[in-house]
Coordinates of all heavy atoms in Angstrom, one line a residue:
M1 N -13.3 0.0 -2.1 CA -13.1 -1.4 -2.5 C -11.6 -1.6 -2.6 O -10.8 -1.0 -3.3 CB -13.6 -1.5 -4.0 CG -15.1 -1.6 -4.0 SD -15.7 -3.3 -3.6 CE -17.2 -3.3 -4.5
P2 N -11.1 -2.6 -1.8 CA -9.7 -2.8 -1.8 C -9.2 -3.6 -3.1 O -9.9 -4.5 -3.5 CB -9.4 -3.7 -0.6 CG -10.7 -4.3 -0.2 CD -11.8 -3.4 -0.8
L3 N -8.1 -3.1 -3.6 CA -7.6 -3.8 -4.8 C -6.2 -4.4 -4.4 O -5.4 -3.7 -3.7 CB -7.3 -2.8 -5.9 CG -8.5 -2.3 -6.7 CD1 -8.1 -1.1 -7.6 CD2 -9.0 -3.4 -7.6
Y4 N -6.0 -5.6 -4.7 CA -4.8 -6.3 -4.4 C -4.0 -6.6 -5.7 O -4.6 -7.0 -6.7 CB -5.1 -7.6 -3.7 CG -5.7 -7.3 -2.3 CD1 -6.9 -7.8 -2.0 CD2 -5.0 -6.5 -1.4 CE1 -7.5 -7.6 -0.8 CE2 -5.6 -6.3 -0.1 CZ -6.8 -6.8 0.1 OH -7.4 -6.6 1.3
E5 N -2.7 -6.4 -5.7 CA -1.9 -6.8 -6.8 C -1.2 -8.1 -6.5 O -0.6 -8.2 -5.4 CB -0.9 -5.6 -7.1 CG -1.4 -4.5 -7.9 CD -0.3 -3.7 -8.5 OE1 0.7 -3.6 -7.9 OE2 -0.6 -3.1 -9.6
Y6 N -1.1 -8.9 -7.5 CA -0.4 -10.2 -7.3 C 0.5 -10.4 -8.5 O 0.3 -9.9 -9.6 CB -1.5 -11.3 -7.4 CG -2.4 -11.5 -6.2 CD1 -3.5 -10.7 -6.1 CD2 -1.9 -12.2 -5.1 CE1 -4.3 -10.8 -5.0 CE2 -2.7 -12.3 -4.0 CZ -3.9 -11.6 -3.9 OH -4.7 -11.7 -2.8
L7 N 1.7 -10.9 -8.2 CA 2.7 -11.3 -9.2 C 2.5 -12.8 -9.5 O 2.7 -13.6 -8.5 CB 4.1 -10.9 -8.7 CG 5.2 -11.3 -9.7 CD1 5.2 -10.5 -11.0 CD2 6.6 -11.1 -9.0
C8 N 2.4 -13.1 -10.7 CA 2.2 -14.5 -11.1 C 3.6 -15.1 -11.2 O 4.5 -14.6 -11.8 CB 1.5 -14.6 -12.4 SG 1.4 -16.3 -13.0
L9 N 3.8 -16.2 -10.4 CA 5.1 -16.9 -10.5 C 5.2 -17.7 -11.8 O 6.4 -18.1 -12.1 CB 5.3 -17.8 -9.2 CG 5.2 -17.1 -7.9 CD1 5.3 -18.1 -6.8 CD2 6.2 -16.0 -7.8
N10 N 4.2 -18.0 -12.4 CA 4.2 -18.7 -13.7 C 4.6 -17.9 -14.9 O 5.5 -18.2 -15.6 CB 2.9 -19.4 -13.9 CG 2.9 -20.4 -15.0 OD1 3.8 -21.2 -15.1 ND2 1.8 -20.4 -15.8
C11 N 3.9 -16.8 -15.1 CA 4.1 -16.0 -16.3 C 4.7 -14.7 -16.0 O 5.0 -13.9 -16.8 CB 2.8 -15.8 -17.1 SG 1.6 -14.7 -16.2
K12 N 5.0 -14.4 -14.7 CA 5.7 -13.2 -14.2 C 4.9 -11.9 -14.6 O 5.6 -10.9 -14.7 CB 7.2 -13.2 -14.8 CG 7.9 -14.4 -14.6 CD 8.3 -14.6 -13.2 CE 9.2 -15.8 -13.0 NZ 9.4 -16.3 -11.7
R13 N 3.6 -12.0 -14.7 CA 2.9 -10.8 -15.0 C 2.1 -10.5 -13.7 O 1.9 -11.3 -12.9 CB 2.0 -11.0 -16.2 CG 2.8 -11.2 -17.5 CD 2.0 -11.8 -18.5 NE 1.2 -10.7 -19.3 CZ 0.4 -11.0 -20.3 NH1 0.3 -12.2 -20.7 NH2 -0.2 -10.0 -21.0
R14 N 1.7 -9.2 -13.7 CA 0.9 -8.7 -12.6 C -0.6 -8.8 -12.8 O -1.1 -8.5 -13.9 CB 1.3 -7.3 -12.3 CG 2.5 -7.2 -11.3 CD 2.5 -5.8 -10.7 NE 3.7 -5.1 -11.2 CZ 3.9 -3.8 -11.0 NH1 3.1 -3.1 -10.2 NH2 5.0 -3.3 -11.4
S15 N -1.3 -9.1 -11.8 CA -2.8 -9.1 -11.9 C -3.3 -8.2 -10.7 O -2.8 -8.3 -9.6 CB -3.4 -10.5 -11.7 OG -2.8 -11.4 -12.7
T16 N -4.3 -7.4 -11.0 CA -4.9 -6.6 -10.0 C -6.3 -7.3 -9.8 O -7.0 -7.5 -10.7 CB -5.1 -5.2 -10.5 OG1 -3.9 -4.7 -10.9 CG2 -5.7 -4.4 -9.4
I17 N -6.4 -7.7 -8.5 CA -7.6 -8.5 -8.2 C -8.4 -7.7 -7.1 O -7.9 -7.2 -6.1 CB -7.2 -9.9 -7.6 CG1 -6.5 -10.6 -8.7 CG2 -8.4 -10.6 -7.1 CD1 -5.8 -11.9 -8.3
L18 N -9.7 -7.5 -7.5 CA -10.6 -6.7 -6.5 C -11.1 -7.7 -5.5 O -11.6 -8.7 -5.8 CB -11.7 -6.2 -7.4 CG -12.8 -5.5 -6.6 CD1 -12.3 -4.2 -6.0 CD2 -14.0 -5.1 -7.5
A19 N -10.9 -7.3 -4.2 CA -11.4 -8.1 -3.1 C -12.8 -7.7 -2.9 O -13.0 -6.6 -2.3 CB -10.5 -7.9 -1.9
L20 N -13.7 -8.5 -3.3 CA -15.2 -8.2 -3.2 C -15.6 -8.1 -1.7 O -16.4 -7.3 -1.3 CB -16.0 -9.1 -4.0 CG -15.8 -9.1 -5.5 CD1 -16.5 -10.2 -6.1 CD2 -16.2 -7.8 -6.1
S21 N -15.0 -9.0 -0.9 CA -15.4 -9.1 0.5 C -14.3 -9.7 1.3 O -13.6 -10.6 0.8 CB -16.7 -9.9 0.6 OG -16.6 -10.8 1.8
P22 N -14.0 -9.2 2.4 CA -12.9 -9.7 3.2 C -13.1 -11.1 3.7 O -12.2 -11.9 3.9 CB -12.8 -8.8 4.5 CG -13.8 -7.7 4.2 CD -14.7 -8.1 3.1
A23 N -14.4 -11.5 3.8 CA -14.7 -12.9 4.2 C -14.5 -13.9 3.0 O -14.3 -15.1 3.3 CB -16.2 -12.9 4.6
N24 N -14.6 -13.4 1.8 CA -14.4 -14.2 0.7 C -12.9 -14.5 0.4 O -12.3 -13.7 -0.3 CB -15.1 -13.6 -0.5 CG -15.0 -14.5 -1.8 OD1 -14.6 -15.7 -1.7 ND2 -15.4 -14.0 -2.9
Q25 N -12.3 -15.5 0.9 CA -10.9 -15.7 0.8 C -10.7 -16.8 -0.3 O -10.0 -17.8 -0.1 CB -10.3 -16.2 2.1 CG -10.3 -15.1 3.2 CD -9.4 -13.9 2.8 OE1 -8.4 -14.1 2.2 NE2 -9.8 -12.7 3.3
A26 N -11.3 -16.6 -1.5 CA -11.1 -17.5 -2.5 C -9.6 -17.3 -3.0 O -9.1 -16.2 -3.0 CB -12.0 -17.1 -3.7
P27 N -8.9 -18.4 -3.4 CA -7.5 -18.3 -3.8 C -7.4 -17.4 -5.0 O -8.2 -17.5 -6.0 CB -7.1 -19.7 -4.2 CG -8.4 -20.5 -4.3 CD -9.4 -19.8 -3.5
A28 N -6.4 -16.5 -5.0 CA -6.2 -15.6 -6.1 C -5.6 -16.4 -7.3 O -4.8 -17.3 -7.1 CB -5.3 -14.5 -5.7
A29 N -6.0 -16.0 -8.5 CA -5.5 -16.6 -9.7 C -5.0 -15.6 -10.7 O -5.6 -14.5 -10.7 CB -6.5 -17.5 -10.3
C30 N -4.0 -15.9 -11.4 CA -3.5 -15.0 -12.4 C -4.6 -14.7 -13.5 O -5.2 -15.7 -14.0 CB -2.2 -15.6 -13.0 SG -1.6 -14.6 -14.4
S31 N -4.8 -13.5 -13.8 CA -5.8 -13.1 -14.8 C -5.3 -13.4 -16.2 O -6.0 -13.3 -17.2 CB -6.2 -11.7 -14.6 OG -5.2 -10.8 -14.8
H32 N -4.0 -13.7 -16.3 CA -3.4 -13.9 -17.7 C -3.3 -15.3 -18.0 O -3.7 -15.8 -19.1 CB -2.0 -13.3 -17.7 CG -2.0 -11.8 -17.4 ND1 -2.4 -10.9 -18.3 CD2 -1.5 -11.2 -16.3 CE1 -2.3 -9.7 -17.7 NE2 -1.8 -9.9 -16.5
C33 N -2.9 -16.2 -17.1 CA -2.7 -17.6 -17.3 C -3.5 -18.5 -16.4 O -3.4 -19.7 -16.5 CB -1.2 -18.0 -17.3 SG -0.5 -18.0 -15.6
S34 N -4.2 -17.9 -15.5 CA -5.1 -18.6 -14.6 C -4.4 -19.4 -13.5 O -4.9 -20.3 -12.9 CB -6.1 -19.5 -15.3 OG -6.9 -18.7 -16.1
S35 N -3.0 -19.2 -13.4 CA -2.3 -19.9 -12.4 C -2.6 -19.4 -11.1 O -2.8 -18.2 -10.9 CB -0.8 -19.8 -12.7 OG 0.0 -20.3 -11.7
T36 N -2.6 -20.3 -10.1 CA -2.8 -19.9 -8.7 C -1.5 -19.7 -8.0 O -1.4 -19.4 -6.8 CB -3.7 -20.9 -7.9 OG1 -3.1 -22.2 -8.1 CG2 -5.1 -20.9 -8.4
Q37 N -0.4 -19.8 -8.7 CA 0.9 -19.6 -8.1 C 1.2 -18.1 -8.2 O 2.0 -17.6 -9.0 CB 2.0 -20.4 -8.9 CG 1.9 -21.9 -8.9 CD 2.0 -22.5 -7.6 OE1 3.0 -22.2 -6.9 NE2 1.1 -23.2 -7.0
V38 N 0.5 -17.3 -7.4 CA 0.7 -15.9 -7.3 C 1.1 -15.5 -6.0 O 0.8 -16.1 -5.0 CB -0.7 -15.2 -7.7 CG1 -1.0 -15.5 -9.2 CG2 -1.8 -15.7 -6.8
E39 N 1.9 -14.3 -6.0 CA 2.4 -13.8 -4.8 C 1.8 -12.4 -4.6 O 1.8 -11.6 -5.5 CB 3.9 -13.7 -4.9 CG 4.7 -14.2 -3.7 CD 6.2 -14.2 -4.0 OE1 6.7 -13.2 -4.5 OE2 6.8 -15.3 -3.7
R40 N 1.3 -12.1 -3.4 CA 0.7 -10.8 -3.1 C 1.8 -9.8 -3.1 O 2.9 -9.9 -2.5 CB 0.1 -10.9 -1.7 CG -0.4 -9.6 -1.2 CD -1.8 -9.3 -1.6 NE -2.2 -8.0 -1.0 CZ -2.7 -7.9 0.2 NH1 -2.9 -8.9 1.0 NH2 -3.0 -6.7 0.7
I41 N 1.5 -8.7 -3.8 CA 2.4 -7.5 -3.8 C 1.8 -6.5 -2.9 O 0.7 -6.1 -3.0 CB 2.6 -6.9 -5.3 CG1 3.1 -7.9 -6.3 CG2 3.5 -5.7 -5.2 CD1 3.0 -7.5 -7.7
L42 N 2.6 -6.1 -1.9 CA 2.1 -5.1 -0.9 C 2.0 -3.8 -1.6 O 2.8 -3.4 -2.3 CB 3.1 -5.1 0.3 CG 3.1 -6.3 1.1 CD1 4.2 -6.2 2.2 CD2 1.8 -6.7 1.7
S43 N 0.9 -3.1 -1.2 CA 0.6 -1.8 -1.8 C 1.7 -0.8 -1.5 O 2.2 -0.8 -0.4 CB -0.7 -1.3 -1.3 OG -0.8 0.0 -1.6
R44 N 2.2 0.0 -2.5 CA 3.2 0.9 -2.2 C 2.6 2.2 -1.8 O 3.3 3.2 -1.5 CB 4.1 1.2 -3.4 CG 3.3 1.0 -4.6 CD 4.0 0.9 -5.9 NE 2.9 0.6 -7.0 CZ 2.8 1.2 -8.1 NH1 3.7 2.1 -8.5 NH2 1.8 1.0 -8.9
F45 N 1.3 2.3 -1.6 CA 0.7 3.5 -1.2 C 0.4 3.6 0.3 O 0.5 4.6 0.9 CB -0.7 3.7 -1.9 CG -0.6 3.7 -3.4 CD1 -1.1 2.7 -4.2 CD2 0.0 4.8 -4.1 CE1 -0.9 2.7 -5.5 CE2 0.2 4.8 -5.4 CZ -0.3 3.7 -6.2
A46 N 0.2 2.4 0.9 CA -0.2 2.4 2.3 C 0.9 3.0 3.2 O 0.7 3.9 4.0 CB -0.6 1.0 2.7
S47 N 2.1 2.4 3.2 CA 3.1 2.7 4.1 C 3.8 4.0 3.9 O 4.0 4.8 4.8 CB 4.1 1.6 4.4 OG 5.3 1.8 3.6
P48 N 4.2 4.4 2.6 CA 4.8 5.7 2.4 C 3.9 6.9 2.9 O 4.3 7.9 3.3 CB 5.1 5.7 0.9 CG 5.1 4.3 0.5 CD 4.1 3.6 1.4
K49 N 2.6 6.6 2.7 CA 1.6 7.7 3.0 C 1.6 8.0 4.6 O 1.7 9.1 5.0 CB 0.2 7.3 2.6 CG -0.6 8.5 2.0 CD -2.0 8.0 1.6 CE -2.5 8.9 0.5 NZ -3.8 8.5 0.0
S50 N 1.6 6.9 5.3 CA 1.7 7.1 6.8 C 3.0 7.7 7.2 O 3.1 8.4 8.2 CB 1.3 5.8 7.5 OG 2.2 4.8 7.1
E51 N 4.0 7.3 6.5 CA 5.4 7.8 6.8 C 5.4 9.3 6.6 O 5.9 10.1 7.4 CB 6.4 7.2 5.9 CG 7.8 7.4 6.3 CD 8.2 6.5 7.5 OE1 7.6 5.4 7.7 OE2 8.9 7.0 8.3
E52 N 4.8 9.8 5.5 CA 4.7 11.2 5.2 C 3.9 11.9 6.3 O 4.3 13.0 6.8 CB 4.0 11.4 3.9 CG 4.9 11.8 2.8 CD 4.2 11.9 1.4 OE1 3.2 12.5 1.4 OE2 4.7 11.3 0.5
A53 N 2.8 11.3 6.7 CA 1.9 11.9 7.7 C 2.7 12.1 9.0 O 2.6 13.1 9.7 CB 0.7 11.1 7.9
R54 N 3.5 11.1 9.3 CA 4.3 11.2 10.6 C 5.4 12.3 10.5 O 5.6 13.1 11.4 CB 5.0 9.8 10.8 CG 4.8 9.2 12.1 CD 5.5 7.9 12.3 NE 4.9 6.9 11.5 CZ 5.5 5.8 11.0 NH1 6.7 5.6 11.2 NH2 4.8 4.9 10.2
L55 N 6.0 12.4 9.3 CA 7.0 13.5 9.1 C 6.2 14.9 9.2 O 6.8 15.8 9.8 CB 7.6 13.4 7.7 CG 8.6 12.2 7.6 CD1 9.1 12.1 6.2 CD2 9.8 12.4 8.5
D56 N 5.1 15.0 8.6 CA 4.3 16.2 8.7 C 4.0 16.6 10.1 O 4.2 17.7 10.5 CB 3.0 16.1 7.9 CG 3.3 16.2 6.4 OD1 4.4 16.6 6.0 OD2 2.4 15.9 5.6
A57 N 3.6 15.6 10.9 CA 3.3 15.8 12.3 C 4.5 16.3 13.1 O 4.4 17.3 13.8 CB 2.8 14.6 12.9
S58 N 5.7 15.7 12.8 CA 6.9 16.2 13.6 C 7.3 17.6 13.1 O 7.8 18.4 13.9 CB 8.0 15.1 13.5 OG 8.4 15.1 12.1
L59 N 7.1 17.8 11.8 CA 7.5 19.2 11.4 C 6.5 20.3 12.0 O 7.0 21.3 12.4 CB 7.3 19.3 9.8 CG 8.5 18.6 9.0 CD1 8.2 18.6 7.5 CD2 9.8 19.3 9.3
D60 N 5.3 19.9 12.1 CA 4.4 20.8 12.8 C 4.8 21.1 14.2 O 4.7 22.2 14.7 CB 2.9 20.2 12.8 CG 2.3 20.4 11.3 OD1 2.9 21.1 10.5 OD2 1.3 19.7 11.1
L61 N 5.2 20.1 14.9 CA 5.6 20.2 16.3 C 6.8 21.1 16.4 O 6.9 22.0 17.3 CB 5.9 18.8 16.9 CG 4.7 18.0 17.2 CD1 5.2 16.6 17.7 CD2 3.9 18.6 18.4
N62 N 7.8 20.9 15.4 CA 8.9 21.8 15.4 C 8.6 23.3 15.1 O 9.1 24.2 15.8 CB 9.9 21.3 14.3 CG 10.6 20.0 14.7 OD1 10.7 19.6 15.9 ND2 11.1 19.3 13.7
N63 N 7.7 23.5 14.2 CA 7.2 24.8 13.9 C 6.6 25.5 15.1 O 6.8 26.6 15.4 CB 6.2 24.8 12.7 CG 6.9 24.5 11.5 OD1 8.1 24.7 11.3 ND2 6.2 24.1 10.4
L64 N 5.8 24.7 15.8 CA 5.0 25.2 17.0 C 6.1 25.6 18.1 O 6.0 26.6 18.7 CB 4.1 24.2 17.6 CG 2.8 24.1 16.8 CD1 1.9 22.9 17.3 CD2 2.0 25.4 16.8
A65 N 7.1 24.7 18.3 CA 8.1 25.0 19.2 C 8.9 26.3 18.9 O 9.2 27.1 19.8 CB 9.1 23.8 19.3
G66 N 9.2 26.5 17.6 CA 9.9 27.7 17.2 C 9.1 28.9 17.4 O 9.6 29.9 17.9
L67 N 7.8 28.8 17.1 CA 6.9 30.0 17.4 C 6.9 30.3 18.8 O 6.9 31.5 19.2 CB 5.5 29.6 16.9 CG 5.3 29.7 15.3 CD1 4.0 29.2 14.9 CD2 5.6 31.0 14.8
N68 N 6.8 29.3 19.7 CA 6.7 29.6 21.1 C 8.0 30.3 21.6 O 8.0 31.2 22.4 CB 6.6 28.3 21.9 CG 5.2 27.7 21.8 OD1 4.3 28.5 21.5 ND2 5.0 26.5 22.1
E69 N 9.1 29.9 21.0 CA 10.4 30.5 21.4 C 10.4 32.0 21.0 O 10.8 32.8 21.8 CB 11.6 29.8 20.8 CG 12.2 28.8 21.7 CD 13.3 28.0 21.0 OE1 14.1 28.7 20.3 OE2 13.4 26.8 21.1
T70 N 10.0 32.3 19.8 CA 10.1 33.7 19.3 C 9.0 34.5 20.1 O 9.3 35.7 20.4 CB 9.8 33.8 17.8 OG1 8.6 33.0 17.5 CG2 11.0 33.3 17.0
N71 N 7.9 33.9 20.5 CA 6.9 34.6 21.3 C 7.4 35.0 22.7 O 7.1 36.1 23.3 CB 5.6 33.8 21.4 CG 4.8 33.8 20.1 OD1 5.1 34.7 19.3 ND2 4.0 32.9 19.9
L72 N 8.3 34.1 23.3 CA 8.8 34.4 24.5 C 9.9 35.5 24.5 O 10.1 36.4 25.2 CB 9.5 33.2 25.2 CG 8.5 32.1 25.6 CD1 9.2 30.8 25.9 CD2 7.7 32.5 26.9
Ligands
ZN101 ZN1 0.2 -15.9 -15.0

């Protein structure tokens, strides 16, 4: 279940809104003041995670190259 975080421009508080269905594009509203003046906050988990995975992959390649050299 995707969870989206929104910052309310009216009361400056954060609301976590559960997206029940991707097709259901109802306007997000602040759960504190019900304002629809909200800004989507991009997840901080999605991109750093893939960045880490990329670093891990390149480290693995370096390790394999090093092993090949010592084996030769
Ligand atoms: Zn609000």
Side-chain angles (χ1 to χ4, degrees):
M1 285 277 207
L3 281 169
Y4 296 120
E5 276 198 330
Y6 290 87
L7 176 67
C8 179
L9 300 179
N10 187 44
C11 70
K12 311 289 184 193
R13 292 163 88 178
R14 270 198 249 174
S15 300
T16 304
I17 296 166
L18 176 67
L20 295 172
S21 141
N24 183 11
Q25 294 294 332
C30 175
S31 60
H32 304 285
C33 70
S34 298
S35 169
T36 51
Q37 298 293 305
V38 291
E39 228 172 48
R40 170 92 179 272
I41 302 169
L42 293 178
S43 167
R44 32 194 173 132
F45 301 111
S47 100
K49 219 178 203 178
S50 57
E51 194 73 33
E52 253 175 52
R54 233 176 290 152
L55 287 173
D56 284 349
S58 66
L59 283 175
D60 284 347
L61 285 175
N62 287 338
N63 287 340
L64 285 175
L67 286 175
N68 284 343
E69 261 177 48
T70 47
N71 286 343
L72 288 168

